Amino acid sequence: MSLLDTPKILIIVPAYNEEANIASTLENLTGLKEKISSLEICVVNDGSNDRTKEITREFEVVQIELPQNLGIGGAVQTGYKYAYNNGFEIAVQFDADGQHNAEDLFQLIDPIIKDEADMVIGSRFLKKTSYRGSVMRRIGIYYFYVILRFLTKQRFTDPTSGYRAINARVIELFIKNYPKDYPEPEVLIQLYKKNLRMKEITANMQQRQGGESSISSWRSVYYMGKVTLSILMQKIVKE
């Protein structure tokens, strides 16, 4: 893919208590700026109470400080609002925990640049990769795959993936309406109802490199029930 005349791209990194991972994550991402001159990185510090803020200041990135923890949905939507207000044409969600591979970004944004998709999702399961999640996590992913397959007749092999890119049309949609908690599966119904184009590409991901996930084992059942209800409501409620 030629990177000449690349649209303005914003990478949004939501971070909550990621002092163990944020430096290595930003080191990987800042290397991309040498290849894509129109790229900017925005860290949304979601009310962290560790050294995430201080570590992020060591890098040449935009840093947005939220006064309290809003959750993943509120943090990512803050990044989308920054993208919209500053004229970015592509926004990429990139987790701070070291799981995502920065080099996959080129494949992630390519279908959007070519106007083949409005959202592109980096999938751990579209093709076989080295990723090995916990049994409970893989069951949850398959559970949402089945629900979304039934409701949309489309195939999303990794509906909980937080590695995704969207175009300007979806940015404008998300600044107005974006789920607060665990938004990744729910927004697929939201875009499906608006007849927007969604595509998956294979992404190589690793296990969390340090710290703790916001979805602990005891919250998994709550997570699945809450998101299921939200998905069904999204499907039923008329625009």
Side-chain angles (χ1 to χ4, degrees):
M1 179 184 70
S2 173
L3 299 182
L4 297 176
D5 302 320
T6 302
K8 286 185 67 178
I9 302 166
L10 181 69
I11 300 181
I12 301 165
V13 184
Y16 176 63
N17 290 346
E18 292 289 359
E19 65 178 8
N21 306 305
I22 192 66
S24 59
T25 297
L26 294 180
E27 285 171 0
N28 290 333
L29 286 175
T30 51
L32 294 176
K33 297 180 74 172
E34 300 177 359
K35 302 176 182 179
I36 308 177
S37 60
S38 60
L39 182 144
E40 191 169 320
I41 301 164
C42 174
V43 176
V44 182
N45 184 15
D46 191 18
S48 298
N49 51 35
D50 64 357
R51 295 188 61 251
T52 297
K53 177 179 179 179
E54 290 73 20
I55 295 171
T56 301
R57 283 178 173 171
E58 299 174 5
F59 295 86
E60 292 184 4
V61 300
V62 174
Q63 187 170 357
I64 299 176
E65 295 292 325
L66 300 180
Q68 64 185 39
N69 180 252
L70 297 183
I72 183 64
V76 173
Q77 188 181 45
T78 298
Y80 288 144
K81 289 180 178 180
Y82 178 85
Y84 178 79
N85 291 333
N86 290 276
F88 285 92
E89 299 162 89
I90 297 175
V92 180
Q93 180 182 342
F94 192 99
D95 290 351
D97 58 13
Q99 292 190 68
H100 297 163
N101 183 350
E103 292 300 321
D104 286 332
L105 180 117
F106 302 106
Q107 286 71 42
L108 200 71
I109 64 175
D110 191 45
I112 294 180
I113 293 174
K114 293 178 178 177
D115 194 27
E116 296 172 352
D118 300 297
M119 170 186 275
V120 181
I121 303 164
S123 171
R124 293 162 282 192
F125 308 111
L126 188 62
K127 295 181 181 178
K128 187 175 182 179
T129 67
S130 60
Y131 177 81
R132 294 294 180 270
S134 67
V135 173
M136 188 65 187
R137 184 174 292 272
R138 292 173 74 94
I139 289 172
I141 292 169
Y142 184 72
Y143 170 79
F144 288 118
Y145 163 80
V146 171
I147 288 179
L148 290 165
R149 179 75 167 171
F150 174 74
L151 294 176
T152 68
K153 304 300 186 292
Q154 295 184 27
R155 182 172 177 261
F156 300 105
T157 64
D158 199 354
T160 68
S161 170
Y163 197 9
R164 46 185 65 188
I166 60 175
N167 64 13
R169 183 179 178 185
V170 182
I171 292 172
E172 186 172 3
L173 174 66
F174 282 170
I175 67 169
K176 299 172 184 175
N177 182 18
Y178 197 74
K180 178 181 178 182
D181 296 320
Y182 319 120
E184 285 83 9
E186 187 175 343
V187 298
L188 300 179
I189 286 285
Q190 185 179 352
L191 300 190
Y192 165 77
K193 289 178 66 177
K194 293 187 175 295
N195 295 315
L196 294 174
R197 301 163 298 168
M198 294 171 281
K199 179 177 181 177
E200 287 186 317
I201 60 101
T202 298
N204 296 291
M205 301 190 199
Q206 304 174 22
Q207 298 293 337
R208 165 178 278 274
Q209 300 302 292
E212 296 182 1
S213 171
S214 61
I215 305 176
S216 56
S217 57
W218 69 269
R219 296 186 67 187
S220 296
V221 175
Y222 166 77
Y223 163 75
M224 293 172 69
K226 180 179 175 63
V227 176
T228 299
L229 181 60
S230 297
I231 287 173
L232 292 174
M233 291 299 294
Q234 281 272 5
K235 176 66 174 177
I236 294 170
V237 175
K238 295 182 179 180
E239 297 292 333

